[in-house]
Amino acid sequence: MNDKETLVKKTIFSGVQPSGMLTVGNYLGSIKNWKEFEETYNCLYCVVDLHAITVRQDPATLRRRTYETLALYIASGLDPEKNTLFVQSHVPAHAELSWVLNCYAMHGELSRMTQFKDKSKKYASNINAGLFTYPVLMAADILLYQTDLVPVGIDQMQHIELTRDIANRFNQVYGDTFRMPEGFIPKAGAKIMSLAEPEKKMSKSDTNGNASVYILDSRDDIIRKFKRAVTDSDTVVRRAEGKDGINNLMTIYTAFTGKSDADIEAEFAGLGYGHFKLAVGEVVADALAPVHAEFDRLMADKAYLEGVMKDGAAKAAYLARKTLSKVYRKVGFTQPK
Ligand code: TRP
């Protein structure tokens, strides 16, 4: 990415925390959709390790998952030559801008963040200041690159709104500094639900072993989890109010096959749920097999992954520095030559 490209192409930024194994929900809701942008946008995809330590992490596990998340980006089809793939802590400007933006984010607005309220309940013994200012670091991630578009899951939309509020507040005081980013929710697989409790989102950190299907689950595990998916007492495969389990399986099937609801209803007419669940499991396992193979190859080549990290961080740092210098100048920091 050179300066000319950043002028003509719009910028996309998104991130995934290396805090758990990625699920099929993460895959469909984010990574899989990102590939289509690589030719027409400047794309930056970050492994957000600074965000991950807002809840306790085992150091060795965090380190391994950082490599794994990067490897999954690439194994899912993102070309490191065409996308800037990097690790958040490798680019100090994220933490630096975050500090400045903390002084332009209000205690009241941060207290209203749904994710903060949820996480405060979940991690009641560790409601640290980082958990509270988490959305400010996210705003820094986005605003550093003069981002136009931020593909995210629906649960992150409130953080994007806050990012816009912070950017607006800063721009009002200091004049145009940050481009106003827009969040958007990719259509396919926008929200994949838990297989065990289909009224809840599929989560990386669910403790119920049947709830989440991980991208790296073995073929047998994937099929077993789909076979056990919680459905309802009806027997007809069709999308309808109250059939959360079947609706979710239909969404997943559509995301992997492109088939419409009508196609699916016709395909499984008279066949019952068992048949359908197995078919969904097989489609998912088939689609993920090449991702597994590529992931294994990449994880065996740490030197390659480290090369990607290094190049990505250098490209990101160059762009980030431009925004950060502007911000430092505007707020009145001195800059010795
Ligand atoms: N908070 C996001 C999540 O948990 C991850 C994230 C961090 C992010 N920084 C970001 C997403 C910037 C988009 C843009 O899903």
Side-chain angles (χ1 to χ4, degrees):
M1 197 190 312
N2 56 39
D3 282 351
K4 195 152 137 262
E5 273 182 334
T6 50
L7 285 179
V8 291
K9 286 185 174 177
K10 291 194 165 182
T11 296
I12 289 192
F13 184 99
S14 198
V16 172
Q17 293 192 51
S19 56
M21 284 316 297
L22 296 179
T23 67
V24 165
N26 300 122
Y27 181 71
L28 293 177
S30 43
I31 307 176
K32 183 171 174 278
N33 301 300
W34 293 350
K35 179 148 187 73
E36 65 183 278
F37 307 127
E38 71 185 9
E39 302 293 345
T40 39
Y41 292 86
N42 301 312
C43 299
L44 296 112
Y45 299 116
C46 188
V47 180
V48 292
D49 54 351
L50 300 176
H51 278 105
I53 63 162
T54 55
V55 305
R56 288 282 173 266
Q57 302 290 337
D58 168 61
T61 310
L62 178 62
R63 198 169 292 122
R64 177 171 47 79
R65 285 188 174 147
T66 300
Y67 281 97
E68 287 176 349
T69 307
L70 181 71
L72 266 182
Y73 280 179
I74 304 168
S76 305
L78 294 177
D79 180 345
E81 301 288 321
K82 295 183 178 163
N83 301 276
T84 302
L85 308 179
F86 71 107
V87 177
Q88 192 183 27
S89 66
H90 298 177
V91 181
H94 290 251
E96 293 168 308
L97 181 62
S98 179
W99 173 257
V100 175
L101 296 183
N102 266 323
C103 304
Y104 300 83
M106 297 300 145
H107 184 276
E109 61 192 354
L110 291 175
S111 328
R112 287 192 289 276
M113 293 294 116
T114 308
Q115 184 175 301
F116 171 67
K117 290 192 258 183
D118 291 348
K119 287 199 175 172
S120 301
K121 282 199 202 103
K122 195 165 166 195
Y123 304 100
S125 61
N126 182 22
I127 308 176
N128 61 73
L131 198 61
F132 187 65
T133 59
Y134 173 114
V136 183
L137 176 59
M138 183 163 160
D141 296 342
I142 296 167
L143 299 176
L144 264 181
Y145 300 98
Q146 305 293 344
T147 301
D148 297 282
L149 285 177
V150 188
V152 281
I154 188 142
D155 60 312
Q156 294 298 315
M157 270 311 208
Q158 199 186 23
H159 292 162
I160 309 287
E161 281 310 311
L162 179 75
T163 299
R164 293 166 57 88
D165 291 342
I166 294 173
N168 247 323
R169 192 171 294 136
F170 194 96
N171 286 350
Q172 293 277 315
V173 180
Y174 300 100
D176 240 7
T177 310
F178 297 121
R179 193 171 297 169
M180 212 45 68
E182 308 262 353
F184 85 98
I185 300 169
K187 240 192 337 301
K191 198 166 184 188
I192 302 299
M193 312 306 281
S194 154
L195 296 192
E197 295 165 86
E199 48 305 314
K200 254 178 52 183
K201 189 183 153 187
M202 185 182 286
S203 154
K204 283 190 288 221
S205 49
D206 207 308
T207 47
N208 178 337
N210 293 320
S212 304
V213 179
Y214 297 95
I215 304 180
L216 295 174
D217 273 348
S218 70
R219 181 177 187 88
D220 287 352
D221 281 344
I222 294 172
I223 291 175
R224 181 179 48 79
K225 288 179 184 179
F226 277 103
K227 277 191 187 157
R228 292 199 186 153
V230 169
T231 47
D232 54 69
S233 56
D234 188 13
T235 51
V236 185
V237 176
R238 65 189 168 93
R239 189 180 286 278
E241 188 83 30
K243 289 166 66 78
D244 295 338
I246 288 294
N247 295 345
N248 185 40
L249 294 178
M250 288 178 75
T251 302
I252 295 172
Y253 199 66
T254 297
F256 281 105
T257 61
K259 290 178 185 168
S260 68
D261 284 353
D263 294 339
I264 301 172
E265 287 169 20
E267 184 176 347
F268 296 96
L271 289 176
Y273 285 176
H275 208 93
F276 177 52
K277 289 191 210 175
L278 178 63
V280 182
E282 285 180 339
V283 157
V284 175
D286 288 348
L288 293 179
V291 178
H292 288 182
E294 181 64 1
F295 174 84
D296 290 343
R297 195 184 68 72
L298 291 162
M299 284 304 285
D301 192 352
K302 290 270 156 51
Y304 171 76
L305 291 176
E306 284 166 0
V308 171
M309 285 177 179
K310 203 164 166 224
D311 291 351
K315 283 194 269 179
Y318 172 77
L319 297 171
R321 204 37 66 180
K322 288 204 280 194
T323 301
L324 189 70
S325 304
K326 197 154 127 189
V327 167
Y328 274 17
R329 202 167 354 99
K330 295 212 176 199
V331 299
F333 293 164
T334 47
Q335 294 185 319
K337 293 270 151 33

